[in-house]
Every structure is written in C-alpha cells, then in structure tokens.
Amino acid sequence: AAMASGMAGKVRRAADSEEFDLANYDQVRCDELAKGAFSEPFPLAEMVRLSFVVGGGKLVRQKYSDDLPKIFMGSLAAVGYGEDNTAACEAASGGKFKYQHDTGKNLKFVHVFPHISGATAQGGLEEGGEEEEEETQTPEDILMTCDAEDFKELVDVQLPTYGQKKRLLDLLKARITKLEEIEAKMTKLEQLTSEEQALFDGVGVEDLKEKSKVVSAELQTMADAGRLTASEKAALVEQLEGRLEHAKAEMQKAEADGKQKRAQALGQQVETIRKTMSTVKDCSPIGLPPLRHSNEIAKLQGKLIEIAKIEKEKKGHYSMAELTRIGERSEIEEAMGILKERSRGWLESDEVFQERLQACLRRASSAASKKALRQEAVTAEGHAPARLLGARFLGAAGRRRAKPQGPPHGMPFRRSASEAARAPSAPSAP
C-alpha cells in the first residue's frame, strides 16, 4: 500500500505529460493507484497525458502480467473514468483513457487524461508562469516540500547510502542558509527577486531544520554501525579529523578565556568525535547496493556480448538466426538505456552510479565468459572419438579391458586352433 501511495503522489505531482512504470503491479496495487491518483481533479490549467507502461516485448514482458492492461483499465473505470480510443491532450478528454501498443518502443501503454480543475495552475500562469515551474518537481523538491511522515519514509527507501543522505543534509543546510538570508533581506525592507519570493513562500526554515535533525541522526546511526563504503569511510574520516582539530582549538580558546562551561561542553564534543572516528576507522567497508534493475541490465549486456562475439567470429557470414539476433541490438540498447536511467538513485553522484553500473556490467561479462567456456566444452565433447564417448557413458567398466567369458555351465571350454597356437605350452612333468 505504501508503494502504491507513493506512486499516486508522484502521478498527482505531474505538471506535464509523463510516463510511469507499472512493473509487478497487481489488482490491489492498481486499485490503490487509481483511487489515490484519480479520485480528485488535477490542479492543472491544460490537459496532460499520463502514460502507464503495462507490458512490452520479450525483453521486458516478464515484469508485467498478461492481464495487467485489463486490470488497470478496470481500476480506472471503478473511479469513474471511461475508455475512449479518440482521447487526446485536450480538455474535452478529461476523465478518459485509452490503450496503445507502441510498436516503435515495443511497449504497451494505458494513456490517462485526468480531470483537471485549472484553478491553481491558472493563477500561476497569470503571475508569469512561476507556479508551472514550481510544479516540475525533482527528488530534491519532493524531499524539501513533503510532510514529516513522508520525509522519513522517502529517506529510508530512496536514500539507502550514507553518501545520498549526506548530500541531502548539505542541500537542507544550503536551503536553510538561503532562507535566513531572505528573511534578513526582508527585515531591511529590500526587494526580493522572483526566485527568492518563491523560496520564501514555500517550506519554512523550522520545517527544514527538523528534517536536518532527522537526517543528521540517520547519518550518525550509520557511522556508529559502520555502514559505509570505502569511499564514504575515507571521506568521513577526513571530515571528522577536521572537526576534531576545530573543536580542540575552540576548547583551548575557551579555557584561555576562562569560559569553563563552554570548555567543558567542547571537551565532551571532542570525546564524541574521537569515539565516532575510532569506530569508523575500525569498520570494514560495505559494498554499494546493486542497481534496481541490475538483473535485467546484466541479461541484456550478456546478449550484446553474444552479438559482438558472433560478429567477430563470423565476419559477415551469418545464418538467418544470427542475423535476427544482430537485428535485435538496437532494441536491446534502447531497453538498457531505459533501465539504466530508472536505476539511478535519488541524489546519487555520477561517480557512484557509474561504479554501481560497471559492477553490474562486469558481472554480465563474467557470466558471458563462463557460458562461452561451457559451450566450448560441449562442442569439444561433440567432436570426441566415438570410443572415448562410449567409455564415458560406460564409466569405470568402459575403462577396463573386457574379460573373455567362459562357456555355459556344464560344457567344456573349447579353444579355437588359433587360440591354442598362441597359448603357452604347459610344462612337462618331471
């Protein structure tokens, strides 16, 4: 239910035509999404098309049930929407949806044209389009403006690493500083820019400070537990060393000035920093989480490796089956591009994302190499001499020379003339 509510919120925040992925959605989640997103009109001045991916070609079809298009359209009908194959991005299509199989993208869509009220967005347009810009929300905007309960859930789900949470804390502090500067400017009765006015009219300083406390506590918990990657550990140790030197200098200054209470408080701060730094230095680095779609990306990368191998070995002399596989390259590359973008984490640096992506691709290359070795082994067995193959199937018995069988019970053993000639003569009696 939480995930469906999250998707519904994302849909309702859409200011322009957008695309959403319903991978792994079932009847319950579709019903929750339709109810949460489309029960009320959207506060938009102009119609938008909200496209939901509900199926696709063989490269992605395993993520969607065959009945998903019918299930989702049924959920939309349950909240008063109707199917209309002529629906388009115009006000008259409000409350309608239509199904489409996009053969170019090889994806199946349900396009929804929501009911719109127009009031809120029109007011923004009258003021120069400021409201329209504000509605195009990034992960940063969502985290800044959401309520306290949603904020904690989003931090837990969308920001799993120390680096992502640290990035959020830096953004919160920067926004707080900016708002305090705006307040100081207003105190002096100075004119605000349109950007400053928009920030001031948004979330307040106190709300952001509360969010900063939540994130700071999460960061301290992760540091105490040693849940840090190698790069995060190195960066944190460097940061703690700087904080330690600064706190020690401030403590010495307070002692010199005779400010004992401040010196005592700073002494406790020094000990806390030392304790955290010791824990961080002793911890064993953890790995980065895998990409959200790592398995699918690895499989597609494996297909690209196989295609490259065919091109290298056959050098233009392809069978029809091989030509078909080579022709799938563009579709595979397009699917990989989509999955890569969907796997990027909120507030994730390009360096960290590339590190996670390369780990996924290395795993795909390793799997492809192992598969090639297995195929070579099978091919080698297929060209082995028949007598060796027979020995393998016979097991140990096939590796022993067959012993001559004796005559049936009760019958004398008779040798052929040639056998008798080859047999050694018995020693004569003394």
Side-chain angles (χ1 to χ4, degrees), residues 380-407:
E381 284 187 359
H383 290 87
R387 58 183 179 82
L388 294 181
L389 290 174
R392 182 169 70 85
F393 286 113
L394 287 172
R399 291 189 291 273
R400 293 195 296 267
R401 184 178 296 277
K403 296 181 179 180
Q405 299 296 316

Side-chain angles (χ1 to χ4, degrees), residues 35 50 59 70 88 104 126 163 235 243 247 283 294 366-367 380 383 404 428:
K35 183 177 179 181
L50 304 175
L59 297 178
K70 182 172 66 176
E126 290 173 359
R243 287 173 54 190
C283 77
S294 61
S366 176
H383 290 87
S428 56

Side-chain angles (χ1 to χ4, degrees), residues 232-242 277 280-281:
E232 290 169 349
K233 176 180 176 179
L236 182 54
V237 167
E238 183 179 352
Q239 177 189 344
L240 290 171
E241 287 174 345
M277 190 159 60
V280 172
K281 284 183 175 180

Side-chain angles (χ1 to χ4, degrees), residues 91-110:
S93 294
K96 297 178 181 179
F97 61 86
K98 65 180 180 180
Y99 171 81
Q100 178 200 12
H101 184 182
D102 189 332
T103 55
K105 295 182 178 179
N106 203 13
L107 292 174
K108 298 176 181 178
F109 293 93
V110 172

Side-chain angles (χ1 to χ4, degrees), residues 157-161 164 229 231-232 286-295 297-298 339-364:
V157 174
Q158 300 290 353
L159 309 177
T161 70
Q164 288 170 287
T229 65
S231 59
E232 290 169 349
I286 62 173
L288 287 167
L291 295 178
R292 179 182 177 187
H293 299 289
S294 61
N295 290 335
I297 292 173
L339 292 172
K340 286 177 185 177
E341 190 58 33
R342 291 176 180 174
S343 294
R344 185 182 288 273
W346 282 19
L347 308 184
E348 181 178 33
S349 68
D350 290 337
E351 294 78 10
V352 172
F353 175 70
Q354 285 300 321
E355 185 178 347
R356 295 200 298 145
L357 176 60
Q358 292 305 315
C360 175
L361 297 180
R362 284 194 299 271
R363 181 164 63 89

Side-chain angles (χ1 to χ4, degrees), residues 4-51:
S5 298
M7 173 69 84
K10 184 178 179 182
V11 171
R12 288 201 62 81
R13 287 191 290 268
D16 295 304
S17 296
E18 289 190 30
E19 181 179 312
F20 305 91
D21 189 5
L22 297 191
N24 303 315
Y25 264 58
D26 56 15
Q27 181 73 64
V28 173
R29 296 179 70 188
C30 285
D31 289 344
E32 290 174 342
L33 173 58
K35 183 177 179 181
F38 299 108
S39 292
E40 299 292 334
F42 280 52
L44 300 174
E46 297 181 359
M47 178 57 66
V48 295
R49 181 178 68 183
L50 304 175
S51 302

Side-chain angles (χ1 to χ4, degrees), residues 184-250:
K185 194 173 179 179
M186 293 179 68
T187 302
K188 298 176 184 178
L189 302 179
E190 296 179 7
Q191 183 69 33
L192 300 182
T193 66
S194 59
E195 180 184 355
E196 289 172 336
Q197 187 65 54
L199 284 175
F200 182 78
D201 292 339
V203 62
V205 171
E206 294 306 316
D207 289 338
L208 295 178
K209 286 182 177 178
E210 287 301 315
K211 290 180 177 180
S212 294
K213 291 179 182 178
V214 171
V215 180
S216 295
E218 287 284 334
L219 289 171
Q220 187 64 49
T221 298
M222 294 186 76
D224 292 340
R227 286 157 44 203
L228 305 164
T229 65
S231 59
E232 290 169 349
K233 176 180 176 179
L236 182 54
V237 167
E238 183 179 352
Q239 177 189 344
L240 290 171
E241 287 174 345
R243 287 173 54 190
L244 180 61
E245 291 303 315
H246 178 74
K248 287 165 66 176
E250 288 294 310

Side-chain angles (χ1 to χ4, degrees), residues 372-386 388-389 392:
L373 288 174
R374 289 195 299 269
Q375 290 176 338
E376 289 175 5
V378 170
T379 302
E381 284 187 359
H383 290 87
L388 294 181
L389 290 174
R392 182 169 70 85

